[in-house]
Amino acid sequence: MLQCLSGSSCVRVIEGYRSTWYFLVLVLAYVLYLIFGALVFYAVELPYEEQLRQELRTVRQQFLNDNECLSEERLEEFLTRALEASNYGVSVLNNATTNWNWDFTSALFFASTVLSTTGYGHTVPLSDGGKAFCIIYSVVGIPFTLLFLTAVVQRIMEFSTRRPVEYLHRRWGMSKPLLAALHASLLAIIIVSCFFLIPAIIFSVLEEDWNFLESFYFCFISLSTIGLGDYVPGEGYHQRFREIYKLGITFYLILGLIAMLVVLETFCELQQLKKLRKMFYLRKQKTEDQLNIVDHDHLSVSGQAASFREDKTDVFPDDIISASPTTTSNGPMGR
């Protein structure tokens, strides 16, 4: 019997804290996923890094052997300065001097990456005034961008998701959850085609050093707002119509980010995902004020019912009292 009681109590404890257990499992799964990603990147990238380091050491030593008049310290000083300038987007190469990082179109591209939190990092403010303004601009601009994107996505969702699903539900009589899942899958295929596959083909043609995988990689890294900065379009040495190209990329990033948010919001509204999310959420508990309101309403209803019964008794007291003898006298025994 004690075993049954202890077993039932354990079951009640597990049932009562089910969302907490699910949350702990979610945290553990996320940590394991982080470790898994780290192990894969460690195994894949470390050999390439070691190979590149070895090649650089070989080239550096060969350069010093060919130029004996140049000391190792002077070369180290020059390379350090060149790399610092490169980190700010300024190159020392002769064929790169025609590309300015802070003309209007490049500045517009930089502003869009700041407000969308993409932040490639290939171009950064050089002056203290520019850095200070970037902080103030971001503090105001990022919430403003979130408000703008939320309003735009909400209006697009009405015409791209909610109304089509409702119309098809009434027209075909299909299950709304099933119809919403099919619609979300179709919408995802369209968005991937229009904002990933087709732009990747275009970038692989316009960018001389990019293949299709690298172009697709840039599209995904940009529209997911990761923005690693290892691939940035329009930075080629012989890029034609660079200003127009940069302007087009700016509009592509904004429209692509909106499209990504529409797809994510469409999937988040699926009933299946809503049930999955609720597994990890805390249950909503009524506050003390809400409980007091409920108790007051309950007492009020009970009081009204009691007063109604008293009123009914007061209105017909004689009829109720006289009803018993009359009924008895008219019954079978009375007859």
Side-chain angles (χ1 to χ4, degrees):
M1 181 176 180
L2 292 175
Q3 292 179 352
C4 295
L5 290 175
S6 62
S8 61
S9 63
C10 291
V11 171
R12 286 197 297 270
V13 169
I14 295 175
E15 290 292 332
Y17 295 94
R18 179 182 296 180
S19 64
T20 303
W21 292 111
Y22 285 152
F23 176 73
L24 293 177
V25 172
L26 178 65
V27 172
L28 178 61
Y30 188 75
V31 172
L32 292 177
Y33 192 71
L34 283 175
I35 296 174
F36 168 74
L39 291 175
V40 171
F41 287 125
Y42 166 78
V44 173
E45 296 298 327
L46 185 61
Y48 283 93
E49 181 185 1
E50 181 60 31
Q51 180 182 356
L52 182 59
R53 287 177 180 271
Q54 184 62 37
E55 291 177 356
L56 287 176
R57 283 193 293 264
T58 303
V59 171
R60 181 173 176 273
Q61 187 60 43
Q62 183 64 37
F63 180 81
L64 289 174
N65 294 336
D66 295 339
N67 301 271
E68 296 180 356
C69 60
L70 181 64
S71 64
E72 186 174 354
E73 291 76 13
R74 293 295 301 275
L75 177 62
E76 193 77 18
E77 182 181 353
F78 171 76
L79 292 177
T80 301
R81 182 57 180 160
L83 290 176
E84 288 178 355
S86 179
N87 291 333
Y88 285 97
V90 178
S91 177
V92 297
L93 300 178
N94 290 330
N95 52 4
T97 55
T98 57
N99 294 339
W100 292 91
N101 293 322
W102 293 105
D103 54 7
F104 177 75
T105 53
S106 298
L108 181 64
F109 178 74
F110 172 78
S112 67
T113 59
V114 169
L115 295 184
S116 62
T117 67
T118 303
Y120 292 115
H122 73 294
T123 301
V124 294
L126 302 176
S127 62
D128 293 339
K131 295 173 184 177
F133 176 75
C134 185
I135 295 174
I136 300 173
Y137 186 70
S138 302
V139 168
V140 177
I142 292 177
F144 187 29
T145 303
L146 293 177
L147 176 62
F148 166 73
L149 293 176
T150 302
V152 172
V153 170
Q154 190 271 338
R155 281 163 173 76
I156 294 177
M157 285 286 296
E158 187 67 26
F159 296 97
S160 67
T161 299
R162 299 188 182 101
R163 290 189 182 182
V165 170
E166 188 66 29
Y167 172 78
L168 294 177
H169 172 66
R170 293 197 307 266
R171 182 71 179 270
W172 294 348
M174 293 179 60
S175 172
K176 185 175 287 187
L178 177 60
L179 193 60
L182 294 175
H183 173 268
S185 302
L186 179 61
L187 182 63
I189 293 174
I190 294 174
I191 295 300
V192 169
S193 300
C194 294
F195 289 92
F196 288 91
L197 296 178
I198 296 177
I201 295 174
I202 296 175
F203 283 127
S204 63
V205 173
L206 296 179
E207 297 291 333
E208 297 179 354
D209 300 330
W210 294 14
N211 56 31
F212 178 78
L213 176 60
E214 294 169 336
S215 301
F216 188 88
Y217 169 81
F218 163 76
C219 295
F220 177 79
I221 293 297
S222 299
L223 298 186
S224 59
T225 68
I226 298 174
L228 297 178
D230 48 351
Y231 289 92
V232 180
E235 298 298 321
Y237 300 140
H238 305 288
Q239 185 68 55
R240 300 178 58 186
F241 307 107
R242 185 172 181 268
E243 291 78 12
I244 300 177
Y245 187 39
K246 283 279 190 179
L247 188 62
I249 295 170
T250 301
F251 285 107
Y252 161 73
L253 293 177
I254 296 175
L255 293 177
L257 182 59
I258 293 174
M260 285 284 290
L261 292 175
V262 169
V263 172
L264 292 177
E265 184 67 20
T266 301
F267 275 93
C268 287
E269 289 190 356
L270 295 179
Q271 293 296 327
Q272 296 85 343
L273 291 183
K274 286 183 178 180
K275 293 180 181 178
L276 179 63
R277 294 200 305 271
K278 288 181 179 179
M279 292 174 56
F280 308 103
Y281 291 170
L282 288 174
R283 294 182 179 179
K284 294 182 178 180
Q285 298 180 354
K286 294 181 179 180
T287 61
E288 185 177 354
D289 293 338
Q290 291 175 332
L291 292 175
N292 292 334
I293 292 173
V294 172
D295 294 341
H296 180 271
D297 292 341
H298 178 71
L299 293 175
S300 176
V301 172
S302 301
Q304 290 177 1
S307 70
F308 176 75
R309 288 194 298 269
E310 293 175 358
D311 293 343
K312 187 174 182 180
T313 305
D314 294 339
V315 171
F316 307 105
D318 297 334
D319 296 340
I320 295 174
I321 294 173
S322 60
S324 298
T326 304
T327 304
T328 304
S329 62
N330 292 334
M333 294 180 65
R335 294 191 181 97

